[in-house]
């Protein structure tokens, strides 16, 4: 393999993390009209990591390519990725089709081949469907090693081996794997930079390739799952202030909590 890194960063357009999602009237999905959308936060971390890898290994990184499969408006998050440091991007216009992770992973596999990418950095999960599937499925389809839930990534320039510290229950695990590799990002990997206005202006001049699902006609987009029902979590009853520890103990006894 030539000593060059071609990084692919898949980014998904999701309802902004700061917005409390509301269930639609039919109870089958989340209300999307009039709601702010942004880049999935874990994907923002993935873009940042790709840019930091370039900053650490200036000559090694040949290209950072962002890709989004989603509605036409997903171009906004691609522009943000370009403003933060991606060089090129592809919008795969899926109109309003909601794709499941397996279909996304199959499409991404083809994008990996087209971009000749040897490192894919995805978010560990999309905050809308909370699937936490796509990175693992992509690694399986590519038959590449995977380092999920990354909290630290180091790449050795001479061997092109990545050392990845992963967040696991109650601690950390450090693994190493040769490229090509799939990495998924965890929250503590980095603190993403903001896209500045001048960089957002410059991003308008960077290339955005446009494709549609028809360009991936060999990939089935038929859903395998059907959402039967969505429910809001039960509303919590109001709290009560007490004046002293004694009163607290009395209250707890009265509701048989102690
Ligand atoms: P998920 O398996 O749905 O939780 O998503 C995990 C990661 O896969 C996300 O953080 C993204 O990096 C990537 N991904 C999922 N869906 C898409 C999509 N429609 N377009 C681009 N990337 C996606």
């Amino acid at each position: 393999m030539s000593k060059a890194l071609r990084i692919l960063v898949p980014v998904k357009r999701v309802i902004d993390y700061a917005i409390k999602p509301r269930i639609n009237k039919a109870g089958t999905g989340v209300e999307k009209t009039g709601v702010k959308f942004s880049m999935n936060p874990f994907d923002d971390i993935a873009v940042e990591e790709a840019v930091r890898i370039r900053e650490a290994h200036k000559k090694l990184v040949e290209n950072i390519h962002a890709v989004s499969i989603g509605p036409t408006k997903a171009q906004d998050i691609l522009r943000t990725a370009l403003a933060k440091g991606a060089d090129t991007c592809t919008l795969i216009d899926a109109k309003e089709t909601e794709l499941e992770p397996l279909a996304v992973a199959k499409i991404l596999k083809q994008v990996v081949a087209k971009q000749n990418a040897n490192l894919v950095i995805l978010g560990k999960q999309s905050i809308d469907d909370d699937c936490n599937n796509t990175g693992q499925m992509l690694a399986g389809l590519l038959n590449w090693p995977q380092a999920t839930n990354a909290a630290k990534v180091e790449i050795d320039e001479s061997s092109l081996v990545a050392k990845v510290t992963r967040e696991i229950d109650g601690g950390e695990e450090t693994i190493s794997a040769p490229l090509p590799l799939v990495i998924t990002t965890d929250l503590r990997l980095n603190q993403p930079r903001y896209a500045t206005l001048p960089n957002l202006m410059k991003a308008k001049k960077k290339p955005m390739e446009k494709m549609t699902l028809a360009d991936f006609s060999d990939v089935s987009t038929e859903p395998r799952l059907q959402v039967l029902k969505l429910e809001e979590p039960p509303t919590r009853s109001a709290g009560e202030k007490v004046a002293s520890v004694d009163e607290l103990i009395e209250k707890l006894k009265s509701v048989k909590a102690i």
Side-chain angles (χ1 to χ4, degrees):
M1 192 202 306
S2 65
K3 287 265 160 45
L5 271 182
R6 289 169 298 276
I7 309 177
L8 181 73
V9 188
V11 292
K12 187 175 184 188
R13 178 179 182 266
V14 297
I15 292 181
D16 190 89
Y17 75 94
I19 287 177
K20 188 178 181 301
R22 299 257 164 238
I23 293 175
N24 65 18
K25 283 205 183 83
T28 52
V30 168
E31 192 52 66
K32 291 184 177 162
T33 35
V35 178
K36 183 181 174 208
F37 280 80
S38 306
M39 188 190 298
N40 183 44
F42 291 107
D43 306 352
D44 201 9
I45 294 172
V47 173
E48 176 68 29
E49 196 60 23
V51 176
R52 287 190 191 193
I53 290 173
R54 168 145 60 204
E55 286 167 354
H57 309 277
K58 283 199 174 58
K59 293 205 177 104
L60 192 65
V61 178
E62 205 172 270
N63 183 255
I64 301 174
H65 188 90
V67 56
S68 191
I69 309 160
T72 316
K73 283 187 175 162
Q75 51 186 289
D76 296 350
I77 62 160
L78 285 169
R79 291 272 172 233
T80 306
L82 293 173
K84 291 184 177 205
D87 305 296
T88 50
C89 69
T90 306
L91 169 70
I92 300 168
D93 201 325
K95 301 287 172 220
E96 295 309 314
T97 315
E98 295 278 349
L99 295 184
E100 289 177 2
L102 184 58
V104 173
K106 285 180 176 172
I107 292 173
L108 291 178
K109 182 186 175 194
Q110 297 190 22
V111 179
V112 166
K114 190 166 179 216
Q115 296 298 324
N116 196 14
N118 53 1
L119 177 62
V120 187
I121 312 180
L122 308 92
K124 75 166 178 183
Q125 77 194 64
S126 319
I127 60 164
D128 52 359
D129 58 23
D130 275 340
C131 279
N132 190 336
N133 282 167
T134 310
Q136 295 89 327
M137 286 178 170
L138 178 63
L141 292 170
L142 290 164
N143 199 18
W144 288 7
Q146 57 180 297
T148 54
N149 300 21
K152 190 174 176 195
V153 175
E154 288 168 305
I155 292 174
D156 182 79
E157 284 201 20
S158 55
S159 61
L160 283 192
V161 169
K163 195 161 102 181
V164 179
T165 302
R166 310 180 51 233
E167 300 215 4
I168 56 169
D169 272 353
E172 289 182 338
E173 175 189 57
T174 302
I175 56 172
S176 88
L179 265 52
L181 173 70
V182 171
I183 293 176
T184 72
T185 62
D186 216 323
L187 208 55
R188 275 165 284 276
L189 180 58
N190 61 49
Q191 180 71 45
R193 69 197 65 192
Y194 288 99
T196 61
L197 195 57
N199 284 344
L200 278 166
M201 299 306 285
K202 279 187 214 152
K204 289 190 178 166
K205 296 200 180 100
K206 290 188 180 178
M208 179 186 294
E209 185 181 0
K210 293 192 178 163
M211 301 178 83
T212 69
L213 284 187
D215 296 308
F216 301 88
S217 53
D218 54 334
V219 174
S220 165
T221 54
E222 277 303 304
R224 296 166 168 231
L225 303 171
Q226 187 193 356
V227 175
L228 300 178
K229 197 171 153 201
L230 275 183
E231 279 175 277
E232 301 270 1
T235 43
R236 291 172 65 180
S237 47
E240 209 180 313
K241 276 193 177 166
V242 290
S244 66
V245 173
D246 289 342
E247 196 185 336
L248 172 66
I249 290 169
E250 279 316 306
K251 286 266 178 212
L252 290 174
K253 277 185 182 162
S254 71
V255 294
K256 297 195 166 56
I258 53 172

